[in-house]
Amino acid sequence: MTSTNSIRVFYLEDTELAEFEAYNKGYRNDVYVKISNDLFNIKVYDIVRLKQDFELESESSGYYLVEPNLIIVKEVTKEAIDFVVKKLYEQKYFESIKTVDGDKLIEYFQ
């Protein structure tokens, strides 16, 4: 968990192994950002993995379906994710994406 004043970043799999795997896979979908009473599940990709997924899906279906709340980072590490989340927060990015519905998740992160 990382916290910057009113922003808190959580990882459901908060282990060294999970971070190692995310870095090598180039994506992570267990990242949550809590801002006040709002909770967001963000999908984190590096550009290499995003390009691979785009090309594969485009070949097979003719288009690429973008994940909701997708964030691109230089590398999928906690440090890079925290940095980008902070910058996106400053730019009010989270005001335009969807929140997670579910009181259980909010309770989990309090």
Side-chain angles (χ1 to χ4, degrees), residues 4 7 81-91 94:
T4 305
I7 314 169
I81 293 167
D82 292 347
F83 175 79
V84 170
V85 164
K86 181 182 176 206
K87 293 300 182 184
L88 292 173
Y89 173 76
E90 291 170 359
Q91 295 176 4
F94 292 95

Side-chain angles (χ1 to χ4, degrees), residues 23-80:
Y23 176 81
N24 287 298
K25 290 182 197 176
Y27 77 94
R28 190 162 190 163
N29 61 8
D30 69 332
V31 181
Y32 287 82
V33 178
K34 186 171 187 288
I35 301 170
S36 300
N37 290 325
D38 291 327
L39 186 65
F40 305 89
N41 176 219
I42 57 175
K43 311 299 190 257
V44 181
Y45 280 77
D46 66 22
I47 196 66
V48 173
R49 178 58 186 257
L50 183 61
K51 185 176 186 284
Q52 290 170 344
D53 285 1
F54 172 82
E55 289 171 352
L56 184 63
E57 194 169 331
S58 293
E59 277 183 26
S60 65
S61 64
Y63 68 98
Y64 178 72
L65 180 62
V66 177
E67 294 252 13
N69 301 359
L70 180 100
I71 292 177
I72 302 170
V73 294
K74 285 186 178 184
E75 58 184 14
V76 184
T77 63
K78 286 182 180 179
E79 294 79 20

